[in-house]
Structure formats: C-alpha cells, structure tokens
Amino acid sequence: MTDSINGVLTLNHSNNQLIKTLLDQMQSSHSNHVTGKKTYSGYIENMRIKVNEHGVRFEGSLAKLYHGNNIISLDQRSTKLAIEKFSDLMHLPMHVAKIHRLDVAQNLSMDKPAVSYYPFLGERKFMQRLEQGSGVYYRNTLGERVFYDKTKEQAKSKDAVDPVISGQHLLRFEVRDYGHKNICKRYNVPEVNLGTLCEPSFYRGMVNGWATEYDKIDKYQDLPIFDDDVYRKPSLFCAQVTFKGIQALGGYNGIMTLIKQARLRGVFKTLPQYLTLKRKVKRMGNTPDRSVDNPFLIELNAKVRDFVLLSA
C-alpha cells in the first residue's frame, strides 16, 4: 500500500559517525549565504536526501526502493523489509523518522482502459475535482485522491516496461495525505514514524482508509449504459436515446397525456395529424430497453472490495 513518503529524522551527537558516513554519499552541497550553514543533498537509490546539522529530510517511493518499481504493492511484511533496507542504506535508524507525507496506493487490473471509468467518478465533499492529463484528481490543502492510468504512465517512463503489467489495464487509486498532524488525525494515532507503517494495526488502517476514501467519492449512476451492440448501430443507438427520453417524461402514458392535452388546446388542424403522432409514439414506446447495469462501476466496486478482503 505505502508508496511515496517524505519525512524528517532528527539527528543528535550520538549519530556523528553515522552522519559522516551518510555525507560521504551526498553528491552536492549548498551554503546559506546568511548563516553560512551547509545543506548536503543527493540520491540514495531512488530516495532524495537532504542533510544539515538538524537532521535528514527524505522523499521518494518506498515501493520503488524495495521492488525497483511501484507496480508491485508493499504489503505489511515487505513494508517492514523496505524500511530495514532504507535504514541499512542510510546507516541511520530511519524507523524513528517522522512522516510528513504518506501516499497509500493500489493498482487495480481492469477489463477496460483506465479512461473508461473516469466518467462515472463524481464529486468528493470538501475536495475539488479535476480531470488532468490521464487521470482524475480530488484536491484540497491537506491532500489528494487520484485515479490515473498506471499502464500509460509506465509506458512513458524511462524504466523498462515491467512484464507484470504487460497486456493489463491498470487503474491506480492513490490517497495522498500531507502534514504530520493531519496524518496522525486521519489514522487516529499520536505519532506516525516510518516504523509505524509496518505495524499490523496501522497497515490495516491504511487498507481500510484507502477503501473508505474510494467510497466517499460520489459515483455517477444516472448516465445510461447500453449493451455493446447498440453502439455499433446508429439506428439502435438513436432508438435507445429516444426511448430513454420517453422514460424521463413519464413513459408512454406520460407522452400520450402531452399529446391529448395538445389536442384539447386545438393544436392539431386535422384528426389524421393527431392519430399519426399517436401511432409513432406507440411504436417508440414498444422499443425494447437495451440498457444494462453499469458494468464499469460494478467492476470497480468489486475490485476495491476484493483487495480489502484479500488484505485482511
């Protein structure tokens, strides 16, 4: 579940030798022109690191650090191993570092390309909805909720396409939370350190919280979906749209009431005009309904539910 993180490890004098080992790995330094104090920065594998006299700042994908990509999710066990690897690479006790950003994410293997599901993702209370690039974003000052095409993103990256996703349609849903206090409040804990992420109760909280955030997003149910044959034949499609219009106006009886009211107002100049319109409407009313339950939301809801059950 855990993907991108950033945080801070506060340093003390007992870490001096370990800090020296870390500084030897940094690729550049910057001096504050006012204080003269230096900040050292660089990368350790995919993690961006900044070091000064107060502590170590870090950011990057914990999943990519461990697996080499973030296609494969970190479960509770692999989260623990990823943190241990990070501590070994840093030569510091990274498990006590305080988290200031936490991304919880999962790739869902879908039947259709990711973009097929976007039209049915509605609003989310207290967040602004944006369609941007190849994804749907929900944003406020405390975080983001994001759906995007992971297959498409992977194809554009400099990394080789992972064989795990070859031929798959991966829809990724990410829950991004910013600010240590906000993260603590969200998961109802007094402190969130890097080591907290692999605790059993907290890991379950991430899984359930991820699913809860999905549920908080309104789903557009009103847009009709027809069986595939309807879209291949314009005449069938037009007939179905007409049929749905009749239903929206109260069905066949509702439309006939409109026509009868028009007759009473003297709209028709001759009786045949009135009878011809009635016959046409009757034929439209006999059109079989080719709409189906929304397969996109049914599938998406099931994928989210199945992931939670498998993670229990």
Side-chain angles (χ1 to χ4, degrees):
M1 290 298 290
T2 307
D3 188 25
S4 292
I5 54 172
N6 71 42
V8 176
L9 174 66
T10 302
L11 300 175
N12 55 54
H13 294 299
S14 65
N15 301 129
N16 282 346
Q17 186 56 46
L18 297 176
I19 295 167
K20 184 179 183 304
T21 302
L22 175 62
L23 290 178
D24 290 339
Q25 301 179 73
M26 296 297 96
Q27 291 91 40
S28 64
S29 64
H30 170 74
S31 296
N32 186 303
H33 70 281
V34 176
T35 65
K37 295 178 179 179
K38 278 191 173 183
T39 297
Y40 299 84
S41 61
Y43 283 88
I44 293 181
E45 295 202 11
N46 66 298
M47 304 297 287
R48 180 169 174 78
I49 310 296
K50 290 185 177 181
V51 188
N52 60 27
E53 62 185 69
H54 302 296
V56 178
R57 292 184 177 274
F58 57 90
E59 62 181 65
S61 169
L62 201 60
K64 189 170 183 180
L65 177 71
Y66 184 70
H67 289 300
N69 63 64
N70 63 355
I71 301 294
I72 305 170
S73 293
L74 291 176
D75 57 16
Q76 182 192 332
R77 178 179 175 278
S78 55
T79 299
K80 183 174 185 294
L81 294 174
I83 295 167
E84 290 175 355
K85 177 181 178 179
F86 191 29
S87 294
D88 290 342
L89 289 169
M90 297 286 287
H91 306 289
L92 288 168
M94 299 306 298
H95 64 281
V96 298
K98 186 178 290 188
I99 297 298
H100 291 275
R101 169 176 172 161
L102 176 59
D103 291 7
V104 177
Q106 179 63 24
N107 297 317
L108 304 172
S109 182
M110 311 301 291
D111 292 340
K112 304 289 184 183
V115 69
S116 305
Y117 303 84
Y118 299 162
F120 309 104
L121 299 170
E123 302 301 315
R124 202 279 193 188
K125 196 174 182 180
F126 304 124
M127 285 187 156
Q128 182 182 11
R129 184 186 188 277
L130 300 167
E131 289 198 36
Q132 186 173 312
S134 59
V136 178
Y137 292 74
Y138 300 85
R139 290 176 175 159
N140 62 22
T141 57
L142 298 177
E144 294 181 297
R145 311 295 181 248
V146 185
F147 294 87
Y148 66 91
D149 189 333
K150 190 63 180 176
T151 308
K152 190 173 182 179
E153 184 207 57
Q154 179 78 357
K156 288 181 177 180
S157 72
K158 295 180 181 178
D159 301 331
V161 176
D162 195 293
V164 172
I165 69 168
S166 180
Q168 292 190 47
H169 300 302
L170 293 184
L171 173 62
R172 187 174 181 86
F173 178 47
E174 291 188 1
V175 175
R176 303 171 181 172
D177 288 306
Y178 308 142
H180 184 74
K181 288 184 179 179
N182 175 48
I183 295 169
C184 291
K185 182 179 180 181
R186 174 160 156 65
Y187 291 101
N188 195 28
V189 292
E191 195 81 9
V192 179
N193 297 324
L194 197 51
T196 309
L197 306 183
C198 59
E199 293 175 358
S201 60
F202 192 85
Y203 181 80
R204 286 195 298 273
M206 288 194 295
V207 173
N208 293 331
W210 175 86
T212 298
E213 286 302 309
Y214 170 78
D215 290 338
K216 286 182 179 179
I217 295 168
D218 292 337
K219 311 302 187 297
Y220 290 136
Q221 301 275 7
D222 295 336
L223 194 62
I225 304 295
F226 306 114
D227 67 64
D228 290 349
D229 282 342
V230 170
Y231 298 98
R232 300 186 185 106
K233 298 178 181 178
S235 60
L236 276 181
F237 182 80
C238 291
Q240 286 300 300
V241 170
T242 301
F243 177 71
K244 288 297 180 183
I246 290 174
Q247 285 186 319
L249 291 170
Y252 175 72
N253 289 334
I255 297 295
M256 291 308 298
T257 298
L258 289 176
I259 295 172
K260 290 174 182 176
Q261 289 174 347
R263 185 188 182 192
L264 292 173
R265 295 196 306 272
V267 170
F268 302 103
K269 294 182 179 180
T270 64
L271 181 61
Q273 279 185 327
Y274 168 67
L275 296 175
T276 299
L277 184 57
K278 280 183 63 177
R279 284 195 299 270
K280 286 189 176 183
V281 169
K282 186 176 181 179
R283 285 198 297 269
M284 289 190 295
N286 290 332
T287 302
D289 189 351
R290 300 285 291 269
S291 60
V292 296
D293 290 337
N294 191 316
F296 301 99
L297 286 180
I298 290 173
E299 182 193 8
L300 187 51
N301 291 339
K303 295 285 185 178
V304 170
R305 182 180 64 250
D306 289 349
F307 173 72
V308 174
L309 291 174
L310 290 171
S311 302

